[in-house]
Amino acid sequence: MSNSENLEPESSRGRPSEVLALNDPAAAIVKRCQTTSGSDFAEAYHELFVLFQDRVFTVCFRVTGNRDDALDASQEAMVAILRRIQGFEFRSKFSSWVYRIAVNAAIDIRRRRMDAPRGGVRTLLGADPEEDVAERSDARYQPEPSAELVRTESREAVREALARINPKFSALLVLRYIEGLSYEEIAEVQECNLGTVKSRMHRAHSALRTFLEGVGAQDI
Amino acid sequence: MTDFHELDNLPPGVLEELRSLGGEVAPPELWDRLSLNALGQAEAPGELWERVRPSVESPAPPIRRPFAFSASQIIASAAAVILFVGVLFFASERTTSSQPLTADVHSSDLREVYRARVFAVEVAPESLSGVGRHLAGLMGASGLPEETG
């Protein structure tokens, strides 16, 4: 299933959209986008773009692992925001909606590139993040570090890990540790409850640790 | 907000490295691509755009081309030329047909042709009048019958 199917306006969580709109720093610009057209709309959208471009690009860059794919994913995300902003109803923070679109765009790009992966290394630790990696045998899922992957620089190892583990796990780690979102905000981005976030984060941590052990960087 | 920090049980070094990967800056190319593909307009690079902006945004006076004519002007001019050529044609025809002999006489070749035709005409002596026979005799004609009575 394509992640683009998850881009519909956010589901209601029972919170008054007016209150969320008042507390959302992007609300004024978003409403300008929704109530203007032509050059006024382009100007308002550009302000919105400036506000979110770095966050969107960072998420896409860390999930895809390279700048070219990050640029493609960021472009797709910004186009999706442009086309769907009229349907945004402030049932969540606007930034959560933007993060959701960016994460989905980056994951889509990663999956499209998996047919021709750079360096021939397949995405590690399985394709389905819902599977419990803790129950898998170490022999089967042990990464096969190439000379390229065996690096002593810890930052490079972590960067590689984000680009190689399951992209949904990468997205979780990026949102939590790079973008600094709370678990509640991640739940809002992923449209799930806190328990699900907790479970997925546990698996993401396991995947990251397993990768780092495989490349000899477990002692960071 | 619920505190879930106990879940962040990664080694401190890994957490530190993860947090250091933030702060990427989107390249300017992103907006260029977006404006080109989604907004349907491409903007020139800033410096180049600033150089051409005055000429693009200021209304330029209409340019008058030196040989720009309207369709009605072209049709009227063509009709006048046709009429003039027609008048010239008929005038020359009338001049030529009104003086055909004069025109031919002025040609020395034609004059010789006419002269040859004249001297080549043979007439029976009996068909000439008395005056004619007398003139023909003066010009050296022979075989003329003697005048009777």
Side-chain angles (χ1 to χ4, degrees):
Chain A
M1 184 177 68
S2 169
N3 283 292
S4 60
E5 295 176 20
N6 298 328
L7 297 181
E8 289 83 12
E10 69 290 351
S11 62
S12 171
R13 299 187 180 284
R15 285 185 281 182
S17 58
E18 295 79 7
V19 175
L20 278 170
L22 285 174
N23 295 328
D24 196 333
I29 306 176
V30 173
K31 286 187 175 179
R32 277 177 54 208
C33 288
Q34 292 176 332
T35 55
T36 57
S37 60
S39 60
D40 291 338
F41 170 80
E43 185 180 342
Y45 178 75
H46 185 258
E47 288 183 34
L48 206 61
F49 173 86
V50 170
L51 194 61
F52 286 99
Q53 60 174 338
D54 291 344
R55 277 180 271 183
V56 167
F57 183 75
T58 297
V59 168
C60 293
F61 185 32
R62 292 308 170 197
V63 173
T64 61
N66 69 84
R67 300 189 81 84
D68 289 340
D69 288 348
L71 198 55
D72 289 345
S74 299
Q75 179 185 346
E76 290 185 13
M78 285 299 184
V79 169
I81 291 168
L82 173 75
R83 291 179 177 163
R84 297 168 187 270
I85 196 168
Q86 297 293 335
F88 183 76
E89 296 175 348
F90 293 98
R91 290 176 180 167
S92 68
K93 285 174 65 177
F94 184 75
S95 60
S96 298
W97 188 65
V98 170
Y99 276 126
R100 187 187 316 150
I101 291 174
V103 163
N104 288 339
I107 290 173
D108 273 349
I109 290 282
R110 271 274 301 267
R111 286 179 171 166
R112 274 182 252 163
R113 300 292 189 266
M114 278 183 68
D115 292 337
R118 290 171 175 78
V121 179
R122 292 177 57 82
T123 299
L124 302 170
L125 302 174
D128 185 2
E130 301 303 323
E131 295 179 29
D132 188 353
V133 294
E135 294 177 358
R136 294 171 175 173
S137 75
D138 289 340
R140 179 181 175 189
Y141 293 101
Q142 188 72 25
E144 298 175 1
S146 64
E148 177 190 4
L149 290 178
V150 179
R151 296 185 176 95
T152 56
E153 297 177 39
S154 56
R155 182 174 302 176
E156 190 66 13
V158 173
R159 188 193 64 77
E160 283 284 344
L162 290 177
R164 299 297 174 91
I165 64 174
N166 187 291
K168 288 192 174 181
F169 294 154
S170 301
L172 271 176
L173 297 170
V174 167
L175 292 175
R176 175 62 181 157
Y177 301 112
I178 296 180
E179 291 301 303
L181 269 61
S182 68
Y183 279 76
E184 289 174 328
E185 288 170 326
I186 293 174
E188 191 172 73
V189 169
Q190 301 212 326
E191 294 187 296
C192 59
N193 58 44
L194 285 173
T196 303
V197 173
K198 178 180 175 181
S199 172
R200 288 175 181 172
M201 189 63 79
H202 175 72
R203 291 197 290 270
H205 288 164
S206 296
L208 179 62
R209 277 199 211 91
T210 304
F211 184 94
L212 293 176
E213 288 170 6
V215 297
Q218 70 274 20
D219 297 329
I220 294 174
Chain B
M1 185 177 293
T2 312
D3 184 9
F4 287 97
H5 285 290
E6 69 275 10
L7 292 174
D8 301 330
N9 55 358
L10 290 170
V14 174
L15 285 175
E16 183 181 347
E17 296 300 345
L18 275 171
R19 288 171 179 143
S20 72
L21 293 176
E24 290 294 326
V25 176
E29 184 188 353
L30 179 57
W31 175 252
D32 295 339
R33 290 169 60 165
L34 189 67
S35 60
L36 179 64
N37 293 319
L39 298 177
Q41 56 186 8
E43 288 187 0
E47 181 188 0
L48 180 61
W49 173 242
E50 288 304 320
R51 285 163 58 189
V52 302
R53 182 198 293 272
S55 60
V56 172
E57 294 185 344
S58 63
I63 299 173
R64 180 75 176 176
R65 288 182 297 170
F67 297 104
F69 299 104
S70 65
S72 60
Q73 288 175 317
I74 293 173
I75 292 172
S77 301
V81 169
I82 292 171
L83 183 61
F84 180 70
V85 170
V87 168
L88 281 181
F89 177 76
F90 284 112
S92 63
E93 277 287 309
R94 174 167 296 182
T95 303
T96 303
S97 60
S98 62
Q99 299 173 335
L101 296 177
T102 306
D104 291 343
V105 166
H106 288 300
S107 170
S108 57
D109 293 337
L110 288 175
R111 189 185 304 121
E112 290 303 323
V113 169
Y114 284 133
R115 181 179 294 166
R117 283 180 186 175
V118 170
F119 284 111
V121 172
E122 290 184 0
V123 295
E126 294 78 14
S127 65
L128 294 175
S129 64
V131 176
R133 283 196 295 272
H134 181 66
L135 286 173
L138 291 176
M139 294 176 69
S142 60
L144 294 172
E146 291 293 330
E147 289 186 10
T148 59

